[in-house]
């Protein structure tokens, strides 16, 4: 398939977005920037178009998609019921990195929701995305624009790497500001459930609607958010996460790094500005521990960079689970397939 690469600049902006919108309206699939990660969009009300997304990504068909709209009024095509807590969260956080579940109306094809009776929706806070949805004049179903299982794309170059030849068009826009996927909340359950930590923190949500609980997928339960059961965000090389005090973490990573290198493996270390000098070899920093927002923005890019270096194994530091740290740690632990080593002590 020939993929149209559409570079956005201020002169061609209108025309470029119009071309992309037309492709979506006509049943094609287009990758576009949002504030969280790049999405791969199709007309959510066109079953054949949505099928193309699953095919392009190699995504399991039981993993439902998020519908993107540009205005709260667009919800009318998607659901017949807006519960009070959803209304409150929409009013507080939209446009923004928060996805909410609604009871789906019969207009939404089953393929979008993987057969579930609920549908996930958000309004992205990105001008190009909003203009694209407005011009397409349809709700846009869009998962992250990566091949299934790879880290989500936070830069246009990541999308081109994964989807050139697989999508009808790719809009080449700016790097994504947030860099992690949206927070997903189920307010249809009582208490509401945090299905995926993301750009809006648990604390921010609780301030708006009161206590929410985390989705733990208790004892082999099927997770309520089907996407949570797949190994996600994973680079090619296996990842091990080290927790504990910074001092112990660094010592343990250095020790294991030595061992692995003696075995002849090429080791990558995911470090921070504060610790990068403690290691030699292929070490990449995701930024300062003092700036978790920018760590979130760098994480997927750094994970993808290790792939380029042909690393055999990645040893990663861990972060606090406060605020944005919860989403950062969720992605790192999933990239590691829950392989965590406790180096001892406590991270302050
Ligand atoms: O930030 C984002 O959310 C990005 C951008 C493009 O908007 N999109 C994104 O989509 O991350 P995706 O498909 O990679 O992740 C969607 C997540 C999956 O974990 C999926 O299982 C969950 O949302 N989800 C979608 N519909 C759901 C539903 N009805 N019930 C529970 N979980 C749902
Ligand atoms: Mg995804």
């Amino acid at each position: 398939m020939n993929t149209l690469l559409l570079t956005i600049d201020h002169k061609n902006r209108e025309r470029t977005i119009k071309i992309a919108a037309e492709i979506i309206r006509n049943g094609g699939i287009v990758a576009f920037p949002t504030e969280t990660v790049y999405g791969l969009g199709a007309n959510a009300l066109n079953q054949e178009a949505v099928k193309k997304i699953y095919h392009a990504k190699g995504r399991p068909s039981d993993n439902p998609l998020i519908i993107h709209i540009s205005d709260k009024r667009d919800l009318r095509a998607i659901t017949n019921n807006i519960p009070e807590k959803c209304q409150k969260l929409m009013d507080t956080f939209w446009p923004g990195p928060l996805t909410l579940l609604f009871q789906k109306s019969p207009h939404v094809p089953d393929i979008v929701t993987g057969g579930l009776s609920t549908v996930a929706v958000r309004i992205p806070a990105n001008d190009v995305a909003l203009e694209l949805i407005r011009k397409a004049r349809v709700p846009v179903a869009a998962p992250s624009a990566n091949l299934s299982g790879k880290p989500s794309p936070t830069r246009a170059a990541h999308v081109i790497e994964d989807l050139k030849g697989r999508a009808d068009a790719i809009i080449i826009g700016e790097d994504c500001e947030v860099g992690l996927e949206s927070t997903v909340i189920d307010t249809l359950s009582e208490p509401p459930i945090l299905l995926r930590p993301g750009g809006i923190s648990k604390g921010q949500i609780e301030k708006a609607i009161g206590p929410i609980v985390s989705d733990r997928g208790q004892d082999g339960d099927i997770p309520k958010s089907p996407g949570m059961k797949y190994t996600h965000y994973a680079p090619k090389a296996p990842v091990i996460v080290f927790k504990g005090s910074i001092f112990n973490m660094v010592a343990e990573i250095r020790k294991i790094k030595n061992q692995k290198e003696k075995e002849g493996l090429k080791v990558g270390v995911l470090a921070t500005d504060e610790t990068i000098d403690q290691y030699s070899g292929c070490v990449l920093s995701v930024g300062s521990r003092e700036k978790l927002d920018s760590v979130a923005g760098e994480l997927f890019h750094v994970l993808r960079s290790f792939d380029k270096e042909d690393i055999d194994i990645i040893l990663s530091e861990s972060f606090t689970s406060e605020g944005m740290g919860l989403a950062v740690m969720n992605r790192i632990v999933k990239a590691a397939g829950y392989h965590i080593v406790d180096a001892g002590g406590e991270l302050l």
Side-chain angles (χ1 to χ4, degrees):
M1 173 192 278
N2 180 38
T3 301
L4 203 55
L5 297 180
L6 300 167
T7 305
I8 291 259
D9 62 41
H10 63 279
K11 272 186 283 168
N12 70 6
R13 193 188 148 94
E14 278 242 6
R15 197 163 22 106
T16 308
I17 296 178
K18 198 168 156 200
I19 294 169
E22 227 164 56
I23 296 174
I24 288 185
R25 233 187 128 66
N26 289 322
I29 55 175
V30 176
F32 61 96
T34 83
E35 82 281 31
T36 57
V37 301
Y38 273 74
L40 177 61
N43 176 356
L45 305 179
N46 176 339
Q47 179 174 306
E48 291 310 311
V50 175
K51 262 192 202 157
K52 292 181 192 169
I53 294 180
Y54 285 93
H55 184 247
K57 279 182 57 96
R59 180 177 174 108
S61 60
D62 65 344
N63 191 2
L65 308 180
I66 295 172
I67 296 187
H68 298 67
I69 55 178
S70 61
D71 190 297
K72 286 177 208 158
R73 283 171 297 188
D74 302 344
L75 273 174
R76 271 179 265 165
I78 298 169
T79 184
N80 298 322
N81 185 24
I82 302 178
E84 207 181 310
K85 284 184 180 169
C86 282
Q87 187 68 51
K88 188 79 208 276
L89 290 173
M90 283 157 52
D91 292 345
T92 314
F93 297 110
W94 280 4
L98 179 69
T99 296
L100 299 170
L101 296 197
F102 297 87
Q103 287 302 333
K104 113 179 170 59
S105 96
H107 301 298
V108 179
D110 282 335
I111 183 158
V112 172
T113 61
L116 296 174
S117 61
T118 54
V119 59
V121 186
R122 82 177 189 104
I123 301 185
N126 175 290
D127 289 345
V128 173
L130 289 173
E131 196 57 32
L132 176 68
I133 300 163
R134 247 177 246 133
K135 284 212 162 78
R137 284 183 281 130
V138 289
V140 173
S144 47
N146 52 297
L147 288 175
S148 206
K150 290 234 301 183
S152 290
T154 52
R155 303 184 178 184
H158 301 158
V159 183
I160 294 172
E161 237 165 62
D162 282 15
L163 295 180
K164 190 160 177 258
R166 295 176 159 265
D168 293 296
I170 296 173
I171 298 182
I172 300 175
E174 308 208 314
D175 296 352
C176 302
E177 230 177 282
V178 177
L180 296 180
E181 305 86 345
S182 61
T183 304
V184 182
I185 298 278
D186 170 10
T187 60
L188 306 174
S189 302
E190 194 49 51
I193 304 172
L194 174 65
L195 295 177
R196 180 174 74 182
I200 304 283
S201 74
K202 192 172 178 214
Q204 284 174 290
I205 289 162
E206 292 188 319
K207 226 182 220 170
I209 58 163
I212 61 174
V213 295
S214 296
D215 183 24
R216 298 209 181 275
Q218 296 115 349
D219 301 331
D221 272 6
I222 299 169
K224 278 202 79 167
S225 186
M228 301 303 269
K229 71 177 183 237
Y230 299 104
T231 323
H232 250 98
Y233 322 111
K236 281 185 222 145
V239 180
I240 305 176
V241 193
F242 294 77
K243 65 173 201 178
S245 66
I246 295 184
F247 184 84
N248 289 347
M249 235 185 318
V250 169
E252 190 67 17
I253 289 176
R254 286 173 56 129
K255 189 180 101 191
I256 304 290
K257 180 169 180 285
N258 264 329
Q259 281 175 10
K260 298 282 176 192
E261 282 171 348
K262 280 198 187 120
E263 291 167 24
L265 297 180
K266 191 167 176 198
V267 182
V269 177
L270 188 151
T272 51
D273 290 354
E274 289 82 359
T275 58
I276 188 161
D277 293 341
Q278 309 287 321
Y279 311 100
S280 58
C282 184
V283 191
L284 298 175
S285 171
V286 286
S288 167
R289 292 183 170 277
E290 303 293 312
K291 294 186 190 146
L292 280 176
D293 284 354
S294 61
V295 168
E298 283 301 303
L299 180 63
F300 288 149
H301 178 63
V302 167
L303 287 177
R304 277 179 180 255
S305 301
F306 283 121
D307 281 350
K308 292 231 167 74
E309 304 281 330
D310 274 322
I311 293 293
D312 296 308
I313 185 160
I314 300 167
L315 309 179
S316 173
E317 293 185 3
S318 56
F319 295 84
T320 158
S321 290
E322 300 294 313
M324 198 59 180
L326 185 65
V328 168
M329 278 312 291
N330 171 273
R331 303 312 190 270
I332 292 180
V333 164
K334 292 193 92 192
Y338 299 91
H339 190 168
I340 305 168
V341 171
D342 191 350
E346 204 188 330
L347 183 61
L348 300 178

